[in-house]
Amino acid sequence: MRKTGVTSATTGTAAGGGAGWPCCGGLNLSVRLNVLLLLSVVATNLVSLYHLSLRAATVPPVLLQQRQQDGDQELVLIRQLDAIRAGVSQLNHLRSSSPPPPPPPPELLLYSRLAPVASACSAHPDLLHRYMSYTPFVPCPDDALSLAEPLLLRGCHPLPRRRCFSPTAAASASKLLPADPFSPLPDAAVRWPKDGKCKSFSCLPPSLGFDVARTEAARFLRARGPLDLTAPQLLRLASLSRAGPIRLGLDIGGGTGTLAARLKKLANATVVTTTMNLGAPYSEAAAARGVVPLHAPLQQRFPLGDGTMDVVRAGHAVNRWIPEAALEFLWYDADRVLRPGGLLWVDHFWCRRSDLEGVYAAMLRRLGYKTIKWAVADKSVAGGGNSGKDEVYLTALLQKPFS
């Protein structure tokens, strides 16, 4: 069962963090005085017109007829005053019947500072203007890395649609795509940047996940230590915990899609991998391996239905560099897409040892999940290096409650 009655430490901060919201409370004293002066002038004029219309309405018929003979100017004025008085009365009625809008909720204030809502694209008018400055019905500008990626990273997601033809790799690359996701990737599957350093997958460091035939072929098959969780172990633990079969999954920051490829071979599962082309063609590599790349930044809501995923994995991209409040939103979005009994796999999450229990472990425990695996190890030892910093890795497998 879920743990209830526990309040997030970040929610209280959000409630007091609304100073930047553009509401009426933010007006300074000079603006308020100007508004009051303007209202007093308008009110004085309306009162004068109102009394004038009353006096004009009490004019005797004989005098009114005499004035009509001299001209209809005063009668026209009276009618105009009556119209003004009726308009003011209608405005006062509408004002009294329309309550002021409620203040924004604290959660919206907090989330808007972490991931800009609605106005994220318009907040970067220069980039957006350049991105939408194109000629319709012809090939699109080659701006995927120079404009599209920076806009996505700044929260402009999804990007606006364009009526042009996006550039793609050569048609001959389709004949070279491998049937086995652990076969070498064809270089022709990528449109390599003209001014880029690398023009082939072999040029990229194997640690980035592009050496799929050797380095990636061993991943999720053999455990090198207590932090590692292999794909066969995942499938076995899912069965023992009554989580059911692994059919659908989400791999957050999954690189070139190695977990998706492995689970596809072992269990015929479909795993969607979130990717961003940060210095390397991760999306193209995942697609060339026959898995689904989801080109989306970490700060945005996962474009998946509620309660649809059997497993959600958070890879190396999810770590302590993400602000604490933004990270907690991410965990609860993972909870949203997981079905009851689904598995949340926190894989090699790294942070300072002093922050593990007080910040990140407490954040995960607030989800109220059952702990299936929880392993912590020194980062310098587990990573095979000597960083000299007091940092640790955490690997956890947690199960969402069934009800």
Side-chain angles (χ1 to χ4, degrees):
M1 298 296 292
R2 289 184 186 272
K3 299 179 183 178
T4 58
V6 181
T7 304
S8 171
T10 57
T11 305
T13 305
W21 190 268
C23 62
C24 297
L27 294 176
N28 55 38
L29 182 59
S30 62
V31 175
R32 293 181 179 181
L33 291 176
N34 289 336
V35 172
L36 290 175
L37 180 61
L38 178 61
L39 291 176
S40 63
V41 172
V42 173
T44 303
N45 291 336
L46 290 176
V47 169
S48 300
L49 293 174
Y50 178 77
H51 284 290
L52 181 59
S53 66
L54 290 179
R55 292 183 59 188
T58 58
V59 175
V62 177
L63 293 179
L64 184 58
Q65 183 177 7
Q66 180 179 356
R67 291 181 180 179
Q68 287 177 345
Q69 294 176 355
D70 296 337
D72 295 334
Q73 294 183 353
E74 292 186 6
L75 182 59
V76 172
L77 178 61
I78 292 172
R79 291 175 178 173
Q80 291 176 345
L81 292 174
D82 287 339
I84 292 174
R85 184 169 56 184
V88 171
S89 177
Q90 179 67 15
L91 290 175
N92 287 333
H93 174 71
L94 292 176
R95 182 179 179 183
S96 62
S97 60
S98 301
E107 284 291 288
L108 180 58
L109 291 174
L110 174 63
Y111 188 76
S112 297
R113 291 197 297 270
L114 301 172
V117 179
S119 62
C121 294
S122 58
H124 305 281
D126 180 54
L127 288 176
L128 185 63
H129 181 269
R130 290 165 55 196
Y131 181 73
M132 295 304 291
S133 297
Y134 68 96
T135 304
F137 316 122
V138 299
C140 296
D142 190 3
D143 55 8
L145 297 178
S146 62
L147 291 177
E149 204 81 9
L151 278 170
L152 287 172
L153 290 174
R154 287 165 172 79
C156 182
H157 179 268
L159 288 173
R161 285 175 169 168
R162 300 195 295 188
R163 296 182 298 164
C164 57
F165 302 100
S166 296
T168 59
S172 58
S174 300
K175 302 177 182 179
L176 304 175
L177 295 177
D180 184 353
F182 294 98
S183 296
L185 297 175
D187 296 332
V190 176
R191 295 179 57 257
W192 301 94
K194 296 180 180 178
D195 55 349
K197 177 183 176 181
C198 289
K199 304 294 182 182
S200 66
F201 286 111
S202 60
C203 171
L204 299 170
S207 60
L208 296 182
F210 294 95
D211 184 13
V212 299
R214 291 180 296 179
T215 306
E216 296 303 296
R219 288 188 66 199
F220 303 113
L221 281 183
R222 294 189 296 269
R224 296 173 298 176
L227 292 170
D228 291 338
L229 181 65
T230 67
Q233 288 174 339
L234 174 68
L235 296 173
R236 184 170 63 255
L237 290 173
S239 177
L240 293 175
S241 61
R242 299 185 298 111
I246 301 295
R247 304 163 298 112
L248 298 174
L250 170 66
D251 192 5
I252 306 170
T256 59
T258 297
L259 177 65
R262 183 57 64 195
L263 288 178
K264 181 179 180 181
K265 294 197 71 173
L266 290 178
N268 196 28
T270 301
V271 176
V272 178
T273 304
T274 69
T275 61
M276 291 294 294
N277 286 352
L278 300 177
Y282 289 99
S283 299
E284 291 87 341
R289 302 179 73 181
V291 298
V292 182
L294 188 64
H295 199 199
L298 290 178
Q299 68 266 36
Q300 296 299 316
R301 189 176 191 261
F302 302 129
L304 300 170
D306 297 0
T308 54
M309 297 291 106
D310 302 317
V311 62
V312 173
R313 172 183 173 265
H316 289 275
V318 181
N319 54 60
R320 73 176 184 89
W321 290 117
I322 301 177
E324 294 174 17
L327 183 60
E328 191 155 38
F329 274 107
L330 184 147
W331 294 136
Y332 279 89
D333 200 25
D335 172 81
R336 177 186 64 82
V337 301
L338 274 174
R339 61 169 174 79
L343 300 176
L344 174 61
W345 178 5
V346 182
D347 191 8
H348 283 74
F349 176 90
W350 65 275
C351 64
R352 295 188 182 95
R353 184 182 298 275
S354 57
D355 294 334
L356 177 60
E357 284 299 322
V359 178
Y360 300 111
M363 190 183 295
L364 290 170
R365 292 191 181 107
R366 279 195 287 271
L367 294 172
Y369 282 20
K370 174 185 175 182
T371 301
I372 299 176
K373 177 183 176 68
W374 188 279
V376 178
D378 186 79
K379 183 175 182 289
S380 60
V381 176
N386 185 15
S387 63
K389 298 180 180 179
D390 189 22
E391 296 175 334
V392 294
Y393 276 130
L394 165 67
T395 291
L397 186 64
L398 309 174
Q399 185 175 29
K400 181 176 180 176
F402 285 92
S403 61

